[in-house]
Amino acid sequence: MRVWVRWSAWLCLSLMLWTVAAESTHNHPNRTESTTCSICVVAHSASPAVSTWHGAPVFAAVALFREEGLVAEARPDLSHLGIRGPPTA
Ligand SMILES: [Zn+2]
């Protein structure tokens, strides 16, 4: 795994954990601000609100797969025969 992939994965994971910590521990000095906070409204609502609409999936062919035969060339590997050193007695 490349270094930048590992670092970006750790960055995303740490951002997610910080977001979870911030959302779960935030508070407001008065009740009027908590009524306009989207996190508090969702957390204290009795039923979960649907925030997005999931449309029906559309299935359409974008390409046609054509199978072609593949014949591999078999060649013996003889490269090791010419580089063998002399036998030691
Ligand atoms: Zn809030």
Side-chain angles (χ1 to χ4, degrees):
M1 184 183 303
R2 294 179 181 240
V3 175
W4 64 272
V5 173
R6 183 177 297 165
W7 278 104
S8 64
W10 279 109
L11 177 67
C12 292
L13 182 63
S14 65
L15 286 174
M16 185 182 72
L17 292 176
W18 279 109
T19 303
V20 167
E23 286 181 354
S24 62
T25 59
H26 84 281
N27 57 9
H28 303 280
N30 52 17
R31 292 184 68 89
T32 57
E33 290 185 10
S34 65
T35 57
T36 59
C37 177
S38 61
I39 296 170
C40 292
V41 168
V42 171
H44 297 290
S45 64
S47 62
V50 177
S51 61
T52 58
W53 178 77
H54 299 286
V58 176
F59 297 103
V62 293
L64 181 62
F65 177 72
R66 293 185 182 183
E67 185 177 352
E68 295 179 5
L70 177 65
V71 178
E73 293 184 27
R75 285 188 232 159
D77 186 16
L78 302 174
S79 63
H80 66 283
L81 295 178
I83 58 171
R84 184 175 179 186
T88 59

